Amino acid sequence: MSDLFKLSIVVPCYNEEEVLPETTKELSQIVNGLIESRKISADSKIVYVDDGSKDKTWSMINNFSKEIDIVSGVKLSRNFGHQGALLAGVTSASKDSDAVITIDADLQDDVNAIPKMVDEYLNGAEVVYGVRNNRDTDTAFKRNTAEMFYKFMGFLGVHLVPDSADYRLMSQRACQVLLSYRERNLFLRGIVPLVGFKSAKVYYARKERFAGESKYPLRKMIKFAMDGITSFSIVPIKMIMGLGFFIVLVSLVLLIYSFIQKINGNVVDGWSSLMISIWALGGVQLISISVIGEYVGKIFSEVKQRPRFTIERDIYTEKTQKENKR
C-alpha cells in the first residue's frame, strides 16, 4: 500500500448553508494537514453532495469548488434522502479514490478522528468505523431508544456496530463491494458490515450540532429504524405467526374454562370479556397486517428497480478529468 493515496471525504448536505463555511474550514484543515504530513496525496478531495437543498447550499458548494482546489461537489436532481446522497457520493468518489470517508455536514462527528482513520487504513484496515465513546449530547429518550434499537437488531440477527452511524472510512475495494448491493431500501449501517474485509474502530466524542436544525426529527428516526428492521430480517413476520399460535392457545384455554364454568352453573354476563377480546384481536390483526404490508411495500419498491439517485451535476468528475489532462 502506497504511503500517498488519494482520499475523498464525502459529505451529504441538505439545507446546510448555516454550517457549510465552518465545515469547509475544518475539513480543509484536516485534509491539508494530511497532505503536508505526506499521508495522503495532493489530489485528495472533499466531496459535498447536495441532496436537493432548498437554500443556498449548492451555490455555496459551487463557489467553494472554484475557490478551493480540494473542494468539489455533486448535485442530485432532487431530494433522495441521506442514505441515497451518501451512496451517490461514494459512487462518484470511489471511481478514482483509494479510500473514501463519509461524514455528516453538521460537525457533530469529530473531524479530528479522520487522521486516526487514515492511520488505521495505512495499517491495513479496509473499513474503519467511527464509534461514539459516549452519548452525553443526546437526550435521555434518544439515548435509551438507540440502545433498545441496537439490542433489538441484535436479537433479530442483524450485526451492527453499536454507536456507529455513517462516519466511516472504506477502501476502494470495500466501496465497490458496497455498491454491488443493489437494494433500493438503503440502510448502510447494516449493509457495510456485510462487506467484510479487515476492519477497525476509531473512538471519538460526539459534539453538539454547530448550527442549523437536525435533519432527523423523531418521525424520520422511526422510519429509519423501521427500514433497518424490515430490510434485514423476516423475524417480525415469524413473530406474528408465533403471536397467532399464542392467541389460539389462549382461546382454547378460555373455551375449556367456559365449559367448566357452564357445567358448574357459574354463568356470568360476558359482555366485557367479549368486547375486550374483540378489540384485542382487532388490534393484533391490524398490527400484523401492517407489518406484512411493510414487507410487501419493500418488495414493491425493490422490483420496480428505480434509480437510487440521479446526479444533475458532478463537479468532482469534472475536476478530476481536468487534472488528468494536465
Side-chain angles (χ1 to χ4, degrees):
M1 186 178 295
S2 172
D3 289 337
L4 295 178
F5 68 95
K6 182 175 180 179
L7 173 70
S8 288
I9 301 178
V10 172
V11 189
C13 304
Y14 180 67
N15 296 340
E16 299 288 5
E17 64 177 2
E18 294 181 62
V19 73
L20 211 53
E22 184 65 22
T23 303
T24 303
K25 175 185 173 183
E26 294 198 18
L27 288 177
S28 295
Q29 289 176 347
I30 294 293
V31 172
N32 287 327
L34 289 169
I35 291 173
E36 290 173 4
S37 62
R38 296 187 59 78
K39 287 189 175 181
I40 63 176
S41 65
D43 59 348
S44 296
K45 292 286 187 290
I46 299 168
V47 186
Y48 289 117
V49 183
D50 178 32
D51 186 25
S53 298
K54 299 176 182 178
D55 60 4
K56 298 178 181 178
T57 296
W58 176 248
S59 62
M60 294 175 69
I61 293 172
N62 198 17
N63 290 334
F64 285 141
S65 69
K66 294 175 182 177
E67 299 166 0
I68 308 171
D69 287 339
I70 62 173
V71 175
S72 63
V74 174
K75 178 176 173 57
L76 302 186
S77 61
R78 62 172 176 82
N79 179 256
F80 284 88
H82 180 265
Q83 302 289 279
L86 273 177
L87 202 66
V90 171
T91 300
S92 183
S94 64
K95 292 176 183 176
D96 67 337
S97 298
D98 298 297
V100 174
I101 289 178
T102 57
I103 183 173
D104 290 342
D106 55 19
L107 294 177
Q108 285 190 279
D109 296 322
D110 188 4
V111 298
N112 294 306
I114 291 176
K116 299 176 184 177
M117 290 182 173
V118 170
D119 289 339
E120 292 290 350
Y121 172 77
L122 292 173
N123 287 331
E126 295 201 51
V127 180
V128 184
Y129 299 99
V131 181
R132 299 170 61 170
N133 56 18
N134 64 69
R135 284 186 170 270
D136 295 341
T137 58
D138 289 346
T139 63
F141 174 77
K142 187 173 182 179
R143 186 165 53 249
N144 292 329
T145 52
E147 185 176 343
M148 289 173 57
F149 173 70
Y150 283 114
K151 288 182 178 179
F152 185 64
M153 292 296 281
F155 168 75
L156 296 180
V158 182
H159 301 291
L160 302 179
V161 179
D163 296 322
S164 174
D166 291 303
Y167 187 22
R168 64 178 73 88
L169 177 149
M170 299 183 70
S171 68
Q172 185 183 54
R173 182 168 68 153
C175 287
Q176 295 306 317
V177 174
L178 172 65
L179 296 176
S180 70
Y181 287 79
R182 306 309 303 172
E183 53 253 58
R184 268 61 188 162
N185 300 287
L186 293 171
F187 184 68
L188 296 180
R189 299 181 196 184
I191 298 175
V192 172
L194 299 177
V195 169
F197 302 130
K198 182 180 179 181
S199 65
K201 298 177 183 177
V202 168
Y203 293 89
Y204 68 95
R206 190 168 170 85
K207 304 176 183 178
E208 295 285 351
R209 184 180 176 87
F210 178 79
E213 298 179 352
S214 172
K215 304 305 184 295
Y216 264 90
L218 179 62
R219 177 179 58 82
K220 283 192 175 181
M221 288 176 61
I222 293 173
K223 182 180 182 302
F224 187 66
M226 286 299 297
D227 283 341
I229 293 169
T230 55
S231 295
F232 279 85
S233 176
I234 61 169
V235 171
I237 291 181
K238 293 181 179 179
M239 291 173 66
I240 288 175
M241 183 169 61
L243 180 62
F245 281 120
F246 174 74
I247 291 174
V248 170
L249 179 62
V250 171
S251 300
L252 289 173
V253 172
L254 289 174
L255 180 64
I256 294 171
Y257 174 77
S258 299
F259 275 122
I260 294 174
Q261 292 295 91
K262 179 69 174 178
I263 293 171
N264 293 333
N266 298 323
V267 180
V268 181
D269 293 336
W271 187 87
S272 297
S273 59
L274 178 63
M275 293 304 295
I276 291 172
S277 299
I278 291 173
W279 280 97
L281 287 173
V284 169
Q285 288 174 339
L286 287 174
I287 293 172
S288 302
I289 292 171
S290 297
V291 172
I292 295 171
E294 182 72 19
Y295 282 94
V296 173
K298 286 284 190 299
I299 297 170
F300 177 68
S301 176
E302 293 290 340
V303 297
K304 287 187 291 186
Q305 293 289 299
R306 288 179 178 173
R308 295 178 288 187
F309 54 84
T310 303
I311 295 177
E312 182 176 321
R313 187 182 174 192
D314 190 344
I315 297 176
Y316 174 84
T317 301
E318 293 172 10
K319 271 194 168 185
T320 302
Q321 290 174 347
K322 288 180 180 178
E323 290 171 358
N324 291 337
K325 289 178 180 179
R326 294 175 184 173

